[in-house]
């Protein structure tokens, strides 16, 4: 992908290994925003939403170890290890505290960071957070993922297919199985930082409407739930304007940037 105007491509070291990061224009005085990609893909598909938010704060879009342009560490990292690696990326970038925006598997990764190091997280946005009972067993999750494919923009396939092929089927099955077992809802209800969950109305990996409404009613004060009715799973790519508007309004209300 051709570099965007005002954006830089850099590498930071985490435990002596390089991690590729895209960085938007500097916005002094604002809490940085870090976008965290989903399962088996790089951060490339997050760029539409990242660009839409880049005026608010210095924006970063890393490829976690083993994804996109970041080499793997000899074995696939689980969700907890990816969270640890993300903290290493923050350290390498000199970021003491950030807003984290995770899509799909990026949601559980952000939740793990918030639970383990809440002082490092000003708030988290969970866009289509995957994992939990609704995605179990594994075969059900695979079926949900297959149903999502025709609901996404045809342009998404051109963006993420090279990432999927590079990641490989064996690692994909191992990590996807772990992802389906991650208790996203329980971790989200108990996260110690301000949290915004944004769900797609056409996303087959998310719970049905009645369950979403129940969660919204039961949500503690630190958690807000919003729905983009026309969005499927990869809303960061397909609905960047709507998602960025929701995130911006939430930041104005609950997060000091």
């Amino acid at each position: 992908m051709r570099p965007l105007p005002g954006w830089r491509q850099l590498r930071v070291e985490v435990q002596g290994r390089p991690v590729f990061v895209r960085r938007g224009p500097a916005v002094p005085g604002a809490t940085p925003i870090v976008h965290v990609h989903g399962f088996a893909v790089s951060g490339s598909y997050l760029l539409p939403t990242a660009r839409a938010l880049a005026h608010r704060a210095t924006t970063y879009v890393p490829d976690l170890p083993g994804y996109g342009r970041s080499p793997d560490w000899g074995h696939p990292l689980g969700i907890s290890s990816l969270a640890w690696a993300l903290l290493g990326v923050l350290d390498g970038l000199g970021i003491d505290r950030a807003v984290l925006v995770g899509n799909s598997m990026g949601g559980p990764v952000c939740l793990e960071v918030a639970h383990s190091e809440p002082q490092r997280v000003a708030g988290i946005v969970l866009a289509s957070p995957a994992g939990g009972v609704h995605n179990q067993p594994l075969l059900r999750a695979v079926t949900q993922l297959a149903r999502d494919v025709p609901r996404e923009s045809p342009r998404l396939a051109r963006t993420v297919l090279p990432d999927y092929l590079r990641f490989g089927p064996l690692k994909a099955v191992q990590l996807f199985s772990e992802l389906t077992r991650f208790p996203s809802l329980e971790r989200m209800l108990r996260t110690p930082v301000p949290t915004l969950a944004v769900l797609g109305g056409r996303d087959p990996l998310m719970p049905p409407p009645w369950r979403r409404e129940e969660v919204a009613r039961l949500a503690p004060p630190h958690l807000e739930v919003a729905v983009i009715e026309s969005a499927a799973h990869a809303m960061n790519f397909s609905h960047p304007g709507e998602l960025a508007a929701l995130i911006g309004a939430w930041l104005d209300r609950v997060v000091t940037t």
Side-chain angles (χ1 to χ4, degrees), residues 87-226:
L87 282 167
V89 171
L90 298 184
D91 291 339
L93 292 169
I95 297 174
D96 295 326
R97 192 165 178 262
V99 173
L100 304 179
V101 179
N103 171 249
S104 191
M105 183 195 71
V109 173
C110 293
L111 284 167
E112 287 291 273
V113 172
H115 277 275
S116 63
E117 299 283 348
Q119 74 280 5
R120 304 288 302 274
V121 182
I124 57 175
V125 178
L126 308 171
S128 305
V133 174
H134 182 65
N135 300 139
Q136 298 170 357
L138 177 61
L139 181 60
R140 182 183 189 187
V142 171
T143 302
Q144 292 167 340
L145 191 62
R147 288 173 53 207
D148 181 65
V149 171
R151 304 183 186 192
E152 300 289 356
S153 165
R155 295 182 295 113
L156 179 64
R158 296 194 295 269
T159 301
V160 303
L161 184 58
D163 295 331
Y164 278 119
L165 294 175
R166 179 182 178 276
F167 195 74
L170 181 59
K171 290 193 295 183
V173 170
Q174 291 174 345
L175 186 57
F176 199 49
S177 178
E178 178 183 348
L179 176 59
T180 62
R181 298 191 303 271
F182 186 88
S184 290
L185 177 59
E186 292 81 358
R187 300 290 274 172
M188 181 172 65
L189 291 173
R190 293 173 173 81
T191 185
V193 301
T195 302
L196 171 66
V198 186
L199 312 179
R202 299 178 63 244
D203 183 356
L205 283 88
M206 293 296 103
W210 67 266
R211 180 58 171 153
R212 299 198 298 262
E213 293 168 4
E214 182 181 47
V215 170
R217 287 197 303 272
L218 297 174
H222 73 274
L223 171 64
E224 296 186 29
V225 180

Side-chain angles (χ1 to χ4, degrees), residues 1 36-39 41-49 103-104 106 156 159-160 163 234-238:
M1 180 173 290
V36 185
H37 59 74
F39 163 80
V41 295
S42 73
S44 295
Y45 79 105
L46 302 177
L47 287 172
T49 297
N103 171 249
S104 191
L156 179 64
T159 301
V160 303
D163 295 331
M235 62 173 64
N236 304 60
F237 183 88
S238 62

